[in-house]
Amino acid sequence: MALVRWNPWREIDTLQRQINSLFEDTRVPSGFLDRDFIKVPAAELQETDDAVLLLLELPGIDAKDLDIQVTEDAVHISAERKSETKTQENGNTKTEFYYGKFQRVIPLSARIQNTNVTADYKDGILHLTLPKTEQEKNKVVKVNL
């Protein structure tokens, strides 16, 4: 019988790698009982004194297929990427592209003027400029010591 040395740190390292991979993935379940996953677009938020800037990565989606709705405290984006695969008579087609619908709601940290939002969509990147309300621009918080 051979003796095997047990290293508890190896198990902790394995667990840490598994947890990190969960947080790195941008897939979310599409339903409670559905085992399929849908891909959500990567987003980048930047806040300035006057506005909130939102960038979304939406490759392969036409601007006419985007549905963008902006409220005072959130941005709702939905779209559908349609499949255009053509199969040959005797061949099989394997694809790793994602086709289907997605919806994403991005909460905002400041109230915005949703009537003055500007949008630009170029090369699969959506740029939204969301101007802040006057109350948010002039908001000063006093800290007492």
Side-chain angles (χ1 to χ4, degrees):
M1 180 176 200
L3 288 175
V4 177
R5 182 172 286 231
W6 179 61
N7 184 356
W9 300 112
R10 181 177 299 153
E11 292 178 19
I12 291 173
D13 287 341
T14 302
L15 179 63
Q16 184 177 10
R17 279 193 304 275
Q18 290 172 346
I19 290 172
N20 287 344
S21 70
L22 284 174
F23 288 110
E24 290 171 358
D25 207 354
T26 60
R27 295 179 299 169
V28 295
S30 61
F32 181 72
L33 297 175
D34 192 4
R35 298 285 181 202
D36 293 335
F37 287 89
I38 59 173
K39 193 93 167 150
V40 294
E44 182 177 298
L45 272 173
Q46 181 181 3
E47 188 172 344
T48 64
D49 292 337
D50 297 329
V52 176
L53 306 174
L54 173 64
L55 277 76
L56 271 151
E57 188 179 40
L58 302 164
I61 297 176
D62 291 332
K64 64 180 173 53
D65 294 331
L66 284 172
D67 181 27
I68 305 165
Q69 299 176 10
V70 180
T71 62
E72 290 181 346
D73 56 355
V75 176
H76 304 262
I77 298 171
S78 61
E80 180 177 7
R81 183 190 290 177
K82 298 181 176 123
S83 173
E84 297 179 6
T85 56
K86 298 176 185 176
T87 57
Q88 299 172 355
E89 292 177 13
N90 296 330
N92 293 330
T93 302
K94 181 180 178 183
T95 181
E96 292 182 355
F97 288 179
Y98 169 75
Y99 297 103
K101 295 180 182 181
F102 76 86
Q103 180 179 4
R104 182 157 186 190
V105 178
I106 301 171
L108 300 172
S109 59
R111 292 233 178 247
I112 61 155
Q113 299 173 10
N114 58 345
T115 56
N116 296 331
V117 175
T118 58
D120 181 36
Y121 186 64
K122 184 177 178 184
D123 297 331
I125 305 292
L126 174 67
H127 298 263
L128 289 176
T129 303
L130 310 157
K132 291 183 181 179
T133 61
E134 289 300 321
Q135 293 88 2
E136 288 291 327
K137 289 181 189 178
N138 299 328
K139 191 176 194 177
V140 176
V141 178
K142 183 176 180 179
V143 179
N144 294 324
L145 296 176

